Amino acid sequence: MESDHKVSVIRRFSDRTHKEMETISGCQDDFSYNEAKNCFAIADGATQSFYSSIWSKLLVNYFCQNPEIDQNNWQEWLKPIQEEWLKEVRAESEKAEKGNYPARVELKNGLSFRYSATSTFIGLQFLENQAKVSIVGDSCLFIFQGDKLIKTYLLQKSADFNNRPGYFGSYPKNNNDYKPEFLDIPLKYEQPSDKLYFVLATDALAEYIFKYTEQQRDILTTLLRINSEQKFENFVKSARHDNTIKMKNDDVTLMILEVSDREIVSLPTKPRKENKEDSSIVLPSSDETEQLSKEDKSNPSNVEEKTQYNTSDETLGVPSGFAKIRSNLQTLLKPLQSLPIMRPNPTIEVSASISQPTKKRVIKPIDGIRNLLFVFIPLNIFLSATTLYLIVQTANKINSIKTEQSSNLNSFSQVTKYEPKYMNLEKGNKIYKDQTFQEIIIPALSDSFDEVLILEEGDNWIKFQIDLYANKAILNQCSTCASDEIEIKPDTNLRIFPSESEGDVFGRLSEPSKFKQLEFDSLPNWSKFTFVGYIKK
């Protein structure tokens, strides 16, 4: 690896927005970046804390100029920002006092009682062969390789969010309860392949992303389409009113970074401090795996235990019901197999034969046991054969179902759930109704669109899908439509977001067409639908 090669980072998008029914002046979130130093940061000031908007802004700006923060110096690192925050709040108090503003009382009391500002924080710096992360609270870092989410920090799922996240405080006394995490994420060079995306999000958006990925739904494609302030506002507005996955009403900050010539090393992420509690991000190295394998081989009990497990019915895919039948049979026969074989007493037998030579021979205990076994052994064989037959039939049925599922892999549900494929659409492309290319639905795309879902592919055509929006004013009154269909008038615009912005137009419809309507009650004047079209290769 050449030490003089520097990582290439492209800031795809960064912006923030305020709560619904408020203005940007009341937004407590902030972000900053210094592309010369490859430094990027976001912060989410707590609404209930004291002048947190000033605090969050100072945090991100200071980091992007001074990213040298670690486990040993972080409290010292905060001191210049804490002093600056106090200076700016005092200036606000003086301004309010002179202008006789209503806020003057609140400011004066807050300063007197040393009310603190608090904020979550993510600071990210890319060096030659690693990404250094400083993070506290519930703002989250998501790392995507291609379209797959491969890492998250610090939270791992949507259920992890609560009302008491960690933070940086504007007074030193406030930084005793929560400590930041400092992580070094190794990166390595690679040939051109799937791109690497680092997505930084404050809590409302982070929770929304988790909920999408937990349902195995694609969120990255939607995020990568956001390339303007208006599109970001439209996305947040739509997400807040989505009935399927709803984003909570809070300030929102998003930053998307693209790293095209790197990938995450398959080794565990190395914390810049020992943290035994954070076991969720530690994976065994190859050396550790090899050592565990050697220990298993040297311990006969481990080998025997694993062998027994691997040869069990459930390991082989046998339904648990059949395993229980066999287990019950073995339990039933076990007492009989363990009974002792009773030998006849020679003295008693001889005596009996002499005193009563004509008496009929007495059946001894061993004969009774054998008679019982003559009954149970055939029964066991019969039941085992029956069980085996049912197992074979069940296995055949399962294979039949798997074969049927494989034959349906081209359906949308299968492609989306298991192996989705995506493509880019170029501006000006013609979109056709089917693979014969006889009817044009859209004469020319209004813009280029990244990563639309591929449904099917032929020798010279590709069938794709994308969710679009249409104003209800352009819908036809359709008597022949199914309950989940809508018909849209010709010569009208189909949009990628529910807005009237020219930048959101997907293309102009050339003829009246029917589409599958999706559930969307967020904006009453808009309909959401699934668009399916064909392009030439």
Side-chain angles (χ1 to χ4, degrees):
M1 185 181 293
E2 298 176 5
S3 61
D4 60 345
H5 185 97
K6 293 186 177 180
V7 62
S8 173
V9 182
I10 301 171
R11 182 176 54 85
R12 290 278 300 250
F13 181 78
S14 57
D15 201 3
R16 62 177 184 144
T17 191
H18 52 84
K19 300 179 186 68
E20 201 167 33
M21 307 301 294
E22 294 188 8
T23 63
I24 195 64
S25 62
C27 182
Q28 313 296 317
D29 283 13
D30 223 312
F31 67 93
S32 186
Y33 51 88
N34 183 338
E35 292 171 329
K37 291 187 176 183
N38 272 343
C39 290
F40 308 88
I42 66 170
D44 179 5
T47 303
Q48 297 80 5
S49 64
F50 190 58
Y51 277 78
S52 59
S53 58
I54 296 176
W55 179 236
S56 62
K57 183 177 182 179
L58 288 171
L59 282 170
V60 295
N61 288 343
Y62 188 75
F63 174 84
C64 288
Q65 298 300 324
N66 305 275
E68 299 81 14
I69 178 175
D70 57 39
Q71 62 173 343
N72 298 316
N73 72 354
W74 66 274
Q75 296 203 33
E76 290 296 319
W77 185 87
L78 286 172
K79 283 186 177 180
I81 321 172
Q82 291 167 340
E83 293 170 0
E84 181 62 27
W85 172 84
L86 187 57
K87 178 181 175 182
E88 292 193 21
V89 174
R90 282 174 175 164
E92 289 291 326
S93 179
E94 292 173 4
K95 187 190 301 182
E97 194 72 35
K98 290 178 181 179
N100 199 25
Y101 300 145
R104 70 187 188 282
V105 178
E106 177 190 355
L107 276 163
K108 187 175 181 180
N109 290 340
L111 288 169
S112 299
F113 291 107
R114 295 176 66 84
Y115 291 160
S116 176
T118 61
S119 177
T120 67
F121 175 79
I122 300 179
L124 178 60
Q125 183 184 28
F126 291 91
L127 301 178
E128 291 179 1
N129 59 357
Q130 65 182 338
K132 301 175 76 68
V133 184
S134 308
I135 183 169
V136 63
D138 57 8
S139 291
C140 293
L141 169 63
F142 300 87
I143 304 178
F144 292 85
Q145 182 85 48
D147 60 353
K148 294 180 175 60
L149 178 61
I150 61 173
K151 295 279 186 180
T152 63
Y153 305 98
L154 288 170
L155 304 188
Q156 303 296 310
K157 56 185 183 297
S158 60
D160 291 342
F161 290 86
N162 57 57
N163 294 325
R164 295 185 61 83
Y167 55 74
F168 278 146
S170 59
Y171 285 113
K173 66 176 184 177
N174 303 118
N175 290 301
N176 297 324
D177 296 334
Y178 302 102
K179 293 182 179 179
E181 298 283 345
F182 299 97
L183 306 168
D184 293 337
I185 303 175
L187 303 174
K188 71 177 183 181
Y189 298 105
E190 66 169 347
Q191 296 301 319
S193 61
D194 289 339
K195 294 178 181 178
L196 200 64
Y197 297 100
F198 283 65
V199 176
L200 290 72
T202 51
D203 61 331
L205 176 56
E207 184 180 15
Y208 184 80
I209 292 173
F210 271 121
K211 288 181 177 179
Y212 249 83
T213 57
E214 286 163 1
Q215 294 188 13
Q216 297 183 344
R217 296 173 65 179
D218 172 31
I219 186 65
L220 182 64
T221 301
T222 302
L223 296 178
L224 292 178
R225 290 193 191 120
I226 301 172
N227 56 15
S228 68
E229 180 181 346
Q230 186 59 54
K231 288 185 179 181
F232 180 55
E233 294 284 346
N234 292 339
F235 162 74
V236 173
K237 180 187 291 186
S238 175
R240 283 173 177 165
H241 296 276
D242 193 334
N243 287 335
T244 56
I245 300 178
K246 192 183 296 292
M247 184 189 295
K248 70 179 183 181
N249 183 27
D250 197 1
D251 298 333
V252 177
T253 295
L254 168 66
M255 184 177 290
I256 304 174
L257 308 172
E258 178 185 312
V259 184
S260 57
D261 63 344
R262 296 291 184 133
E263 67 178 0
I264 297 292
V265 176
S266 58
L267 297 175
T269 301
K270 299 179 181 178
R272 279 187 272 157
K273 67 174 182 178
E274 293 203 5
N275 183 7
K276 296 181 180 178
E277 296 179 357
D278 188 10
S279 58
S280 62
I281 60 172
V282 178
L283 303 174
S285 65
S286 58
D287 293 339
E288 290 171 339
T289 305
E290 183 178 355
Q291 180 64 29
L292 289 172
S293 177
K294 290 179 180 177
E295 290 176 2
D296 286 343
K297 292 179 181 178
S298 64
N299 189 339
S301 64
N302 288 347
V303 175
E304 181 180 357
E305 182 180 353
K306 289 180 179 179
T307 303
Q308 291 174 354
Y309 176 81
N310 288 336
T311 56
S312 70
D313 288 339
E314 294 192 14
T315 306
L316 294 173
V318 180
S320 59
F322 300 135
K324 289 179 180 177
I325 292 173
R326 294 187 60 184
S327 175
N328 291 337
L329 287 172
Q330 291 170 355
T331 303
L332 179 65
L333 294 175
K334 189 173 182 181
L336 297 175
Q337 295 169 354
S338 62
L339 285 174
I341 298 176
M342 300 180 65
R343 300 291 182 184
N345 190 324
T347 304
I348 296 174
E349 187 173 358
V350 171
S351 174
S353 63
I354 293 173
S355 60
Q356 300 179 15
T358 60
K359 188 175 181 179
K360 192 172 183 179
R361 184 172 177 267
V362 178
I363 298 176
K364 298 174 178 58
I366 185 65
D367 296 329
I369 294 171
R370 286 174 179 168
N371 289 336
L372 287 173
L373 290 177
F374 284 140
V375 173
F376 280 108
I377 288 175
L379 179 61
N380 186 25
I381 293 173
F382 171 75
L383 291 175
S384 297
T386 303
T387 301
L388 182 61
Y389 172 77
L390 292 174
I391 290 171
V392 171
Q393 292 298 315
T394 303
N396 290 339
K397 182 65 175 176
I398 291 172
N399 289 334
S400 174
I401 292 172
K402 288 181 177 179
T403 302
E404 182 180 351
Q405 290 177 339
S406 298
S407 66
N408 293 330
L409 278 179
N410 284 332
S411 69
F412 168 58
S413 61
Q414 293 294 332
V415 172
T416 303
K417 186 174 181 180
Y418 296 111
E419 295 181 359
K421 295 182 180 180
Y422 299 92
M423 62 176 291
N424 296 333
L425 295 178
E426 300 296 331
K427 181 177 181 179
N429 267 358
K430 293 180 181 178
I431 309 300
Y432 297 88
K433 188 173 183 178
D434 55 39
Q435 60 266 46
T436 63
F437 307 127
Q438 298 299 313
E439 297 181 60
I440 298 175
I441 302 178
I442 295 178
L445 289 180
S446 299
D447 203 345
S448 297
F449 299 94
D450 295 334
E451 299 182 350
V452 298
L453 182 66
I454 296 176
L455 296 182
E456 293 182 67
E457 192 168 353
D459 292 335
N460 62 344
W461 54 268
I462 296 177
K463 181 181 180 181
F464 71 91
Q465 173 180 294
I466 184 173
D467 291 345
L468 298 176
Y469 299 83
N471 192 294
K472 289 186 177 180
I474 66 173
L475 302 186
N476 274 330
Q477 294 294 328
C478 180
S479 58
T480 60
C481 291
S483 59
D484 63 343
E485 283 185 328
I486 56 174
E487 186 175 76
I488 300 178
K489 297 176 181 179
D491 298 323
T492 52
N493 288 328
L494 308 183
R495 298 176 176 274
I496 61 170
F497 286 113
S499 78
E500 296 296 338
S501 170
E502 286 300 321
D504 290 338
V505 176
F506 179 76
R508 195 167 183 83
L509 196 63
S510 62
E511 60 180 39
S513 302
K514 295 179 182 179
F515 301 99
K516 181 181 178 182
Q517 186 172 17
L518 301 175
E519 184 178 356
F520 182 72
D521 297 329
S522 306
L523 300 172
N525 294 326
W526 290 86
S527 292
K528 184 178 181 180
F529 59 93
T530 298
F531 179 89
V532 177
Y534 291 77
I535 64 167
K536 292 181 180 179
K537 282 188 175 179

